[in-house]
């Protein structure tokens, strides 16, 4: 018979998954969203909004 994992393990796995996905989304916007290769097309609002944070964290963008 297959035993289900306890709720603590399931909750921890869920929190870890959500945290990882959110961290990857933030990393994309800070590290890779360049405006020209943006998932939003040629709209550079996201790039301009986080422009100074990119340089503070050591990501070049020009």
């Amino acid at each position: 018979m297959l035993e289900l994992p306890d709720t603590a393990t399931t909750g921890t796995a869920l929190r870890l998954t959500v945290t990882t996905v959110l961290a990857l989304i933030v990393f994309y916007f800070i590290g890779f969203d360049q405006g020209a290769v943006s998932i939003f097309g040629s709209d550079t609002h996201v790039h301009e909004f986080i422009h100074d944070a990119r340089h503070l964290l050591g990501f070049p963008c020009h």
Side-chain angles (χ1 to χ4, degrees), residues 10-32:
T10 305
T12 302
L14 181 62
R15 274 186 254 122
L16 180 60
T17 302
V18 169
T19 302
T20 302
V21 168
L22 289 176
L24 288 172
I25 290 170
V26 168
F27 185 72
Y28 169 78
F29 282 115
I30 291 177
F32 295 105

Side-chain angles (χ1 to χ4, degrees):
M1 178 179 254
L2 182 64
E3 247 184 76
L4 295 175
D6 61 352
T7 57
T9 304
T10 305
T12 302
L14 181 62
R15 274 186 254 122
L16 180 60
T17 302
V18 169
T19 302
T20 302
V21 168
L22 289 176
L24 288 172
I25 290 170
V26 168
F27 185 72
Y28 169 78
F29 282 115
I30 291 177
F32 295 105
D33 187 69
Q34 293 281 340
V37 294
S38 174
I39 61 173
F40 300 109
S42 62
D43 186 15
T44 61
H45 284 92
V46 173
H47 175 81
E48 295 303 325
F49 182 70
I50 60 173
H51 185 264
D52 293 335
R54 294 174 61 98
H55 293 294
L56 179 68
L57 294 171
F59 287 99
C61 64
H62 301 281

